[in-house]
Amino acid sequence: MRKLLKSYGIVTVGSVILAFAFDAFYAPNQMAMGGITGMAQVVNALIPSVTVGVATFLLNVPLFLAGWKMIGFHLLASSLFSMVVSSLAMDAIALLWTFPAIDPILAAVYGGALTGLGGGIVFTQGATTGGADIAARLMKLKLTWLPMGKLVMVPDFFGLAVAALAFGRVESALYGIV
């Protein structure tokens, strides 16, 4: 039980770091994140009353349901926890602090580094942050010859492209790629 609590504590830290990266660097600079979070940014841009955290959660639900059925519950339990924590943390941080926009290249580098750190911490515990990772695992069931890295790029690119269209700025996606 102690090992499980420690693991979920580590997942919580990684999820909060990821949420902080989004709120501090991506959101104030109108930079797109890939995957589900990028699509959640679009939902928020079109319907401002729906926060990015809520939209992220709602867009992830069908993926988790499909994943549960096709991949199994064990992998998804910790990933579901991570997704809920990061979604709640995104909204809580945005509610508590308003971050100023900074130089876009710096925001892309700092945001990317913190996103990588947070995601890496979550991954060390055998969890994912949901979204593109779950979508890629589902695609892997049919496209077994493709590596996971390439499969994760598909939903990430889609999220970036849709966000760039919604923001009306190609730079949003380009900085997100950085």
Side-chain angles (χ1 to χ4, degrees):
M1 180 65 153
R2 186 174 214 166
K3 185 178 177 184
L4 185 66
L5 288 175
K6 180 182 176 187
S7 178
Y8 275 80
I10 293 170
V11 168
T12 299
V13 169
S15 300
V16 170
I17 290 171
L18 191 98
F20 176 79
F22 174 79
D23 284 328
F25 300 108
Y26 289 94
N29 290 287
Q30 287 195 332
M31 292 194 325
M33 282 188 82
I36 296 297
T37 307
M39 288 184 246
Q41 286 177 282
V42 171
V43 171
N44 176 254
L46 298 174
I47 310 167
S49 61
V50 178
T51 64
V52 175
V54 169
T56 299
F57 179 82
L58 293 174
L59 291 170
N60 266 300
V61 168
L63 288 172
F64 274 94
L65 291 175
W68 184 356
K69 182 176 180 178
M70 300 170 131
I71 298 172
F73 184 73
H74 178 68
L75 166 76
L76 294 179
S78 55
S79 299
L80 180 62
F81 177 78
S82 175
M83 186 268 298
V84 169
V85 169
S86 61
S87 295
L88 291 172
M90 275 182 198
D91 288 348
I93 292 168
L95 193 62
L96 296 172
W97 293 286
T98 302
F99 294 93
I102 63 172
D103 179 81
I105 290 293
L106 288 176
V109 170
Y110 295 153
L114 280 178
T115 300
L117 176 65
I121 290 170
V122 169
F123 295 158
T124 65
Q125 300 306 301
T128 71
T129 56
D133 304 328
I134 301 296
R137 286 189 188 264
L138 291 171
M139 287 187 286
K140 181 76 172 169
L141 295 173
K142 295 286 184 192
L143 307 169
T144 56
W145 66 92
L146 286 173
M148 280 295 291
K150 289 190 187 316
L151 291 171
V152 169
M153 289 173 43
V154 172
D156 276 345
F157 177 76
F158 182 76
L160 287 170
V162 171
L165 288 172
F167 292 152
R169 297 178 39 214
V170 173
E171 304 89 49
S172 295
L174 294 177
Y175 287 123
I177 290 170
V178 169

